[in-house]
Amino acid sequence: MENAWKEIQPKNIYRIVRMLPNTDLASEALLHLYQPIMGAQALALYLTMTSEINQLTGSSEESLHAELLTMLNCGIPQFYEARSKLEGIGLLNTYKKDSSELGTVFVYQLLSPMEPVEFFKDTVLSFHLLNTVGEKKFQRLVQQFEPKTFHVEGYQSITKKFLDVYGWQNQELIEKSEKLERVTEKFQLLQARKPVANELEVLNWSFVEELLKRKLGTTVHLTDTIKELFSLYHSMYGVDELELIELSLPAFDMMSGEFNQKELQRVLTVSTLPNNKKQVPEAISNEGPDEELRRWNTLRQEGFNEEELALIKDSETIPPMIYLEAIKEQKGGFVSKEETWLIQDLINKSPLKNSVLNILINYVLVVKNNASLTRSFVDKIANDWSQLKLQSPEAAIRHLKSVKKEAAKKLETAPRRTGQKRVRREKLPDWLNKPQQETAADPKKQAEIDRKLQNYLAKKEGDH
């Protein structure tokens, strides 16, 4: 959690603002739908921030983070993680600026939760909720919040229209139209929130629809939601078009001519997917053997060794989830739900290619020798790499080499400080103590990990 201390200090000032209050339904969604995904600490942070806002002004007073930490009874790392979870799930926007007088100042903009109907329309949020609470609890939540219908066959509607009851005053409307327009403009400033799930254009949809037509004997219209599910599993697990169709057929409803979304999530998540993982390249390369050979020779001339070239090849041929599972197994660990969600979010939100994400995974778990992928640490790296527009695994490796070289150079040229004047510092509570620095792993472990990775993947392929 070293990055948390670099990002926030207890002395930093913050202010909280919000555009709209939560509705009753949104509050229900926050407790029953959002909280299982983001956890109790993030919920406590959201509710604490909400309590500080003046309902008339829509803003809080300026305060120190130390006061907020005291109310939450947590430290900087725990606060940073909770804040990140709120940001990632679409409940918080964070802004900061550096002031010569006040130092770093933060503004936290609270966003209202989606109401349940909109929440369940979002593929990624529904997927996370299903994985968190399990099939039985998920279905109970669906039943609790799904729109209820009432059949009115045999009844005649006698409902009166608005104008029949309240009338219409044209002259008064003309006189007050300018004032009404100003009010309308205020509410039009609010843009519709984009869903967490973004369609991933990685599958050949015309090919998918043609294959479905051959299998089912009828034309199938794929909705955006179904496309999101297919793309998500393709990106995470490397399931290609043929496999996706075979796995998804039980979820197709011949009566309606459409896929049942809930059943599709079930067959892809719970039953057959773990037994159908396969190595596939992230994209079909248009390069011929000569171009490919020139690429490797050019990288060798730049100074890339054979272990690094093998790492690049692995990163381009193995989906991120399979890559993560392989490394975790060879280290004697396992992939947690939080890590699965993290990889899914990176695939959905970041512009980084799967091959670059694999280099990131390798860096955190092998080079840095961390036991697991921590969201705050990984998000920081992914954001940096996205802003640097690292579009290939070799570009990511070059960047890591450059950062390491620059750090070593600064360490060598740093002047030795002697006789420094002692400065009195306030003793902070135990929960504000800064965690220890990370220690890098032995680089020689990389070759051993690569060898075990290949053995693991060969074994997996042999299981099919």
Side-chain angles (χ1 to χ4, degrees), residues 102-347:
L102 303 176
T104 303
V105 179
F106 291 83
V107 172
Y108 295 128
Q109 182 188 40
L110 286 178
L111 304 174
S112 297
M114 293 182 186
E115 293 193 356
V117 171
E118 295 302 317
F119 182 97
F120 283 107
K121 287 181 181 178
D122 192 295
T123 307
V124 172
L125 289 177
S126 294
F127 177 82
H128 277 321
L129 184 63
L130 173 61
N131 275 0
T132 303
V133 302
E135 181 75 24
K136 187 178 293 186
K137 176 65 174 177
F138 181 80
Q139 291 303 328
R140 287 204 299 268
L141 289 170
V142 170
Q143 293 173 4
Q144 178 180 345
F145 291 109
E146 67 183 352
K148 305 300 187 290
T149 57
F150 175 71
H151 298 287
V152 292
E153 289 84 356
Y155 290 82
Q156 178 184 2
S157 176
I158 58 172
T159 307
K160 290 182 171 55
K161 304 295 183 182
F162 177 85
L163 295 181
D164 295 337
V165 179
Y166 298 99
W168 189 256
Q169 294 82 29
N170 284 332
Q171 186 60 38
E172 288 188 31
L173 176 63
I174 295 172
E175 293 173 356
K176 299 177 180 178
S177 60
E178 186 177 344
K179 181 177 182 179
L180 293 173
E181 285 177 6
R182 289 197 299 269
V183 173
T184 304
E185 287 174 359
K186 290 181 180 180
F187 286 89
Q188 287 176 341
L189 292 175
L190 301 175
Q191 298 180 350
R193 181 186 302 184
K194 295 180 180 179
V196 175
N198 295 316
E199 183 178 337
L200 304 175
E201 296 289 351
V202 292
L203 288 171
N204 186 334
W205 296 117
S206 59
F207 178 56
V208 169
E209 290 173 351
E210 181 62 28
L211 287 175
L212 284 170
K213 185 177 181 180
R214 293 180 188 178
K215 286 280 186 181
L216 299 169
T218 182
T219 301
V220 179
H221 171 67
L222 295 176
T223 64
D224 289 343
T225 300
I226 300 302
K227 285 183 177 181
E228 286 168 0
L229 277 174
F230 280 167
S231 296
L232 186 61
Y233 282 93
H234 172 74
S235 295
M236 290 181 69
Y237 294 101
V239 183
D240 61 22
E241 287 90 343
L242 290 170
E243 289 179 297
L244 277 171
I245 290 171
E246 291 297 331
L247 294 172
S248 63
L249 288 179
F252 187 77
D253 186 348
M254 294 296 295
M255 296 295 292
S256 65
E258 296 180 347
F259 279 99
N260 182 302
Q261 180 185 343
K262 297 174 186 176
E263 182 63 14
L264 184 60
Q265 285 179 320
R266 188 190 70 79
V267 296
L268 291 180
T269 305
V270 180
S271 53
T272 54
L273 183 62
N275 299 319
N276 286 274
K277 296 174 184 176
K278 180 182 177 183
Q279 299 179 43
V280 296
E282 68 177 27
I284 298 174
S285 175
N286 294 321
E287 293 183 347
D290 293 339
E291 289 80 2
E292 190 73 5
L293 181 60
R294 278 196 291 270
R295 178 193 179 195
W296 301 124
N297 287 336
T298 300
L299 290 175
R300 287 188 180 95
Q301 291 173 2
E302 287 184 27
F304 282 77
N305 58 39
E306 293 305 315
E307 289 78 11
E308 291 168 340
L309 295 180
L311 176 60
I312 292 172
K313 291 176 182 177
D314 287 344
S315 71
E316 293 180 329
T317 56
I318 305 172
M321 279 304 301
I322 306 299
Y323 192 83
L324 173 61
E325 288 173 355
I327 291 180
K328 278 303 197 72
E329 179 168 301
Q330 300 316 313
K331 294 184 70 173
F334 63 93
V335 179
S336 66
K337 285 185 177 181
E338 288 76 12
E339 289 173 309
T340 301
W341 301 336
L342 175 57
I343 296 299
Q344 181 180 327
D345 286 343
L346 288 174
I347 291 173

Side-chain angles (χ1 to χ4, degrees), residues 16-23 26-27 30 34 38 46-47 49-50 53 58 85-95 107-115 190-194 196:
I16 306 169
V17 298
R18 81 177 312 156
M19 301 181 72
L20 287 173
N22 292 343
T23 64
S27 297
L30 181 68
Y34 282 87
M38 64 187 184
Y46 186 90
L47 295 176
M49 286 182 164
T50 300
I53 294 176
K85 288 182 177 180
L86 291 178
E87 293 167 351
I89 208 167
L91 293 176
L92 182 70
N93 288 333
T94 300
Y95 305 91
V107 172
Y108 295 128
Q109 182 188 40
L110 286 178
L111 304 174
S112 297
M114 293 182 186
E115 293 193 356
L190 301 175
Q191 298 180 350
R193 181 186 302 184
K194 295 180 180 179
V196 175

Side-chain angles (χ1 to χ4, degrees), residues 68-81:
L68 186 56
L69 296 173
T70 300
M71 285 190 287
L72 292 166
N73 192 27
C74 72
I76 286 290
Q78 292 76 25
F79 170 81
Y80 184 76
E81 183 178 3

